[in-house]
Amino acid sequence: MNSQQAGYRKGLLGATAVYLLVMLFYGKDMFALGSLDGFYSQVNYVHNNLGYFDILAPVHYLRYAIAYPFFYMHQNGVPDFFQALVYVAYLSPFYFIRQSLSTFVVLMLLLIAPFGISYRSCLVIAGLFYLYFIVYMGEGRRLIFWLSAALATLSSGVLIAWILICLLYKRSIRISLKNYTVTLFVFSLLLGCSVVHKIGFFDRLSPAKVSVSMEKKLVKVKEPVIAMNRVIAGHSDNFFIKVVRRSTLYVTWVRGNFTKFYFYVTLLSVLVCATLIKLREGLYPAAFFAVGIPGFLVEGLGSLAFSLCALAVIVEFLQCSGHFRRLKTIDSI
């Protein structure tokens, strides 16, 4: 490890120590909203009905396994600081992968993110970044790969994109042919479950079934990306129109929440920029981010996850093109 990589690693450890110190006084509970949080209701249902099985059971059980440490602490009144320790444990691959400016920036954002969004969202974002790192850096292909897979199950939309990326980038991930047959079967099963879950989400509610009180509860959820996707903005018998009308961009626009609307437009712009940067290398390298663009028409969490990977590409591009060195020169004048 060269001195620059060692410097990044020290920075990561220092930032993590500061994060834990802050969380010691301002802890965060993944399930603070209780029954108002649909994810809590899902985890709680699995916990109370261990042994049930239906078409969505594989995804639900994986989600339960990932969230169980947080759930256990929430149920037993363990101080929130220990949830922060579990969160850092899920981020531990950052301290062992090849250090770079992009991994440093991404981890800094993931340490800040829990103050604005839930641990669940942060873990989904981390899971997709692990896959990005494997595809483009070619490291940590086993344990990090399966951790990435597990974390991706926390969001159906992201899991669908994750599986499609794995199928596209089999050579980059370098799973042996023997294991890949089993892996492909698992991927297909999870993909089927996720598609059923996502279709069910868009077809589950109609405007007539959404009361004013229910809508207020959804907006109160302190996970605005997910909450806004649950608010119904119009009705149509056409499934694809339903998808668009319940998308983050559409809902924020029709409700006049232009701050969030322009925030997501900015995220989309970052993703498009990363796609164009990779397009310089060919269609195959750019496909990773092209898969993420439809996520803006499905859910906000997918847009956040892909945007952080896209930001890593932009940081790497600016660093390799010498922009940061030029800025240093200008600052020294």
Side-chain angles (χ1 to χ4, degrees):
M1 181 185 297
N2 60 38
S3 59
Q4 188 177 44
Q5 290 179 330
Y8 286 135
R9 178 161 292 174
K10 288 179 181 178
L12 294 178
L13 294 172
T16 303
V18 172
Y19 167 75
L20 291 175
L21 182 63
V22 172
M23 280 298 184
L24 188 60
F25 300 98
Y26 304 98
K28 182 182 181 71
D29 182 358
M30 176 185 274
F31 300 111
L33 294 174
S35 59
L36 283 177
D37 183 357
F39 182 60
Y40 169 81
S41 299
Q42 185 182 114
V43 172
N44 190 49
Y45 177 82
V46 175
H47 180 74
N48 292 325
N49 296 275
L50 292 175
Y52 95 99
F53 190 85
D54 60 19
I55 192 170
L56 298 177
V59 173
H60 289 165
Y61 277 117
L62 276 171
R63 289 177 176 176
Y64 174 73
I66 290 294
Y68 182 75
F70 299 95
F71 181 77
Y72 176 85
M73 293 179 190
H74 171 80
Q75 294 291 85
N76 293 278
V78 177
D80 293 343
F81 170 74
F82 291 94
Q83 292 196 32
L85 289 176
V86 174
Y87 176 60
V88 169
Y90 280 123
L91 298 183
S92 59
F94 278 93
Y95 310 108
F96 301 101
I97 60 180
R98 189 173 67 201
Q99 304 301 310
S100 66
L101 180 60
S102 61
T103 56
F104 178 80
V105 169
V106 169
L107 182 62
M108 292 304 100
L109 292 174
L110 284 173
L111 291 175
I112 295 171
F115 297 101
I117 58 179
S118 74
Y119 279 134
R120 175 200 174 207
S121 297
C122 296
L123 292 175
V124 171
I125 295 169
L128 191 62
F129 182 80
Y130 293 152
L131 184 61
Y132 158 82
F133 186 85
I134 293 169
V135 167
Y136 288 107
M137 306 297 181
E139 294 186 10
R141 300 186 193 97
R142 293 179 183 174
L143 183 59
I144 295 178
F145 173 78
W146 291 114
L147 178 59
S148 172
L151 296 179
T153 63
L154 296 176
S155 166
S156 296
V158 171
L159 179 59
I160 292 171
W162 187 94
I163 293 171
L164 292 175
I165 290 169
C166 286
L167 296 176
L168 283 171
Y169 289 93
K170 174 185 176 292
R171 292 180 181 177
S172 299
I173 296 171
R174 297 181 185 177
I175 301 174
S176 69
L177 187 60
K178 180 181 178 181
N179 293 332
Y180 193 71
T181 304
V182 177
T183 305
L184 183 62
F185 172 76
V186 174
F187 285 176
S188 301
L189 178 63
L190 291 177
L191 179 61
C193 294
S194 299
V195 170
V196 169
H197 182 269
K198 186 54 64 176
I199 291 175
F201 167 76
F202 285 112
D203 219 23
R204 186 165 61 241
L205 297 173
S206 67
K209 296 178 183 176
V210 180
S211 64
V212 174
S213 61
M214 181 180 179
E215 191 168 312
K216 286 181 179 178
K217 285 182 179 179
L218 291 173
V219 175
K220 280 182 181 178
V221 175
K222 293 182 181 178
E223 177 125 30
V225 176
I226 302 299
M228 292 307 292
N229 281 325
R230 292 178 180 173
V231 178
I232 310 304
H235 175 67
S236 172
D237 291 329
N238 187 299
F239 174 76
F240 294 101
I241 293 178
K242 287 180 182 181
V243 171
V244 172
R245 285 183 173 175
R246 297 179 192 182
S247 68
T248 304
L249 285 175
Y250 182 87
V251 171
T252 51
W253 176 263
V254 298
R255 292 188 167 275
N257 195 336
F258 298 116
T259 301
K260 286 183 180 177
F261 174 78
Y262 289 118
F263 171 71
Y264 286 112
V265 168
T266 302
L267 294 183
L268 178 59
S269 301
V270 170
L271 185 52
V272 170
C273 285
T275 306
L276 293 175
I277 289 172
K278 285 298 179 183
L279 199 57
R280 292 153 52 104
E281 303 171 20
L283 290 173
Y284 184 70
F288 185 103
F289 299 98
V291 168
I293 292 177
F296 283 81
L297 296 177
V298 178
E299 62 174 6
L301 184 49
S303 63
L304 280 171
F306 274 96
S307 297
L308 207 54
C309 295
L311 182 61
V313 169
I314 294 172
V315 169
E316 292 287 348
F317 172 75
L318 293 175
Q319 188 179 30
C320 292
S321 60
H323 284 75
F324 293 131
R325 287 195 293 275
R326 288 189 207 122
L327 288 174
K328 274 187 180 178
T329 305
I330 293 171
D331 290 340
S332 62
I333 295 176

